[in-house]
């Protein structure tokens, strides 16, 4: 039985007034971000669809855009009304299985609601790398004014011979990233 993903809009009495159903059958929701009358949902099975959903008419929500990229985001953080940062994993796909690799930080341009784009990404570490930001948004230090994206992490060395191979940690501490004027993560 493939999983089904649905978004429901409720009124003040918690009655359903609008819905999007059957989103990405067979995948699971990994993150959601609501921004005004917009919603962004990441689902995952082997690639990361980022859906943009229009909620301006709560009775008729609809999917406006979809972006499929390798990996998935478990947390989406707004930079401004046109940019989102996604924190998650890069993945290695083999047949019907996907394996988490390093931590992936992606910058999404959401200015064109119908065509979200990944404009920059960086993969940190290899299989077995971990960061609390993947499951706890409170571990993020973000300042757009100071150009700082920081979070604690444990990184492993990426194995050239086998990307799925777990290796010993080579870094444990605070990762500090930035975003340049060209909207590239470094």
């Amino acid at each position: 039985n493939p999983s089904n993903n649905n978004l429901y809009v409720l009124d003040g009495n918690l009655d359903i007034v609008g819905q999007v159903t059957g989103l990405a059958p067979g995948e699971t929701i990994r993150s959601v971000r609501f921004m005004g009358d917009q919603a962004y949902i990441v689902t995952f099975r082997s690639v990361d669809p980022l859906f943009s959903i229009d909620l301006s008419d709560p009775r008729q929500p609809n999917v406006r855009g979809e972006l499929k990229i390798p990996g998935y985001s478990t947390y989406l953080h707004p930079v401004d009304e046109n940019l989102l940062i996604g924190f998650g994993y890069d993945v290695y796909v083999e047949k019907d299985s996907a394996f988490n690799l390093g931590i992936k930080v992606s910058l999404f341009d959401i200015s064109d609601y119908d065509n979200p784009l990944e404009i920059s990404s960086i993969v940190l570490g290899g299989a077995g790398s971990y960061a609390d930001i993947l499951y706890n948004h409170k571990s993020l230090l973000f300042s757009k004014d100071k150009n700082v994206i920081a979070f604690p992490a444990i990184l492993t060395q990426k194995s050239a011979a086998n990307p799925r191979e777990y290796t010993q940690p080579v870094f444990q501490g605070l990762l500090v990233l930035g975003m340049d004027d060209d909207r590239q993560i470094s």
Side-chain angles (χ1 to χ4, degrees), residues 43-61:
T43 61
F44 178 73
R45 181 163 180 195
S46 60
V47 295
D48 169 359
L50 170 70
F51 294 97
S52 55
I53 300 174
D54 184 356
L55 300 172
S56 59
D57 179 355
R59 298 190 180 283
Q60 302 259 334

Side-chain angles (χ1 to χ4, degrees), residues 27 33 52 55 100 104 124 143:
E27 299 184 8
R33 170 58 66 180
S52 55
L55 300 172
N100 289 347
K104 183 177 181 183
L124 305 159
S143 172

Side-chain angles (χ1 to χ4, degrees), residues 22-37:
L23 188 66
E27 299 184 8
T28 56
I29 293 176
R30 296 302 176 119
S31 59
V32 176
R33 170 58 66 180
F34 292 96
M35 295 171 61
D37 61 1

Side-chain angles (χ1 to χ4, degrees), residues 10-22:
L10 308 177
D11 66 11
N13 294 320
L14 301 181
D15 294 323
I16 297 173
V17 296
Q19 59 189 337
V20 173
T21 59

Side-chain angles (χ1 to χ4, degrees), residues 24-126:
E27 299 184 8
T28 56
I29 293 176
R30 296 302 176 119
S31 59
V32 176
R33 170 58 66 180
F34 292 96
M35 295 171 61
D37 61 1
Q38 302 169 354
Y40 298 92
I41 298 177
V42 171
T43 61
F44 178 73
R45 181 163 180 195
S46 60
V47 295
D48 169 359
L50 170 70
F51 294 97
S52 55
I53 300 174
D54 184 356
L55 300 172
S56 59
D57 179 355
R59 298 190 180 283
Q60 302 259 334
N62 62 37
V63 176
R64 292 276 303 269
E66 178 181 351
L67 170 67
K68 288 191 176 192
I69 56 173
Y72 61 94
S73 299
T74 60
Y75 175 61
L76 296 170
H77 188 83
V79 175
D80 57 32
E81 65 276 355
N82 294 317
L83 295 172
L84 278 176
I85 300 174
F87 299 90
Y89 284 107
D90 189 26
V91 296
Y92 176 80
V93 178
E94 186 176 279
K95 297 182 183 173
D96 290 335
S97 298
F99 302 92
N100 289 347
L101 299 180
I103 297 167
K104 183 177 181 183
V105 181
S106 296
L107 185 62
F108 299 105
D109 181 337
I110 54 172
S111 60
D112 181 351
Y113 205 45
D114 296 319
N115 297 298
L117 299 171
E118 181 184 46
I119 57 175
S120 179
S121 69
I122 188 169
V123 177
L124 305 159

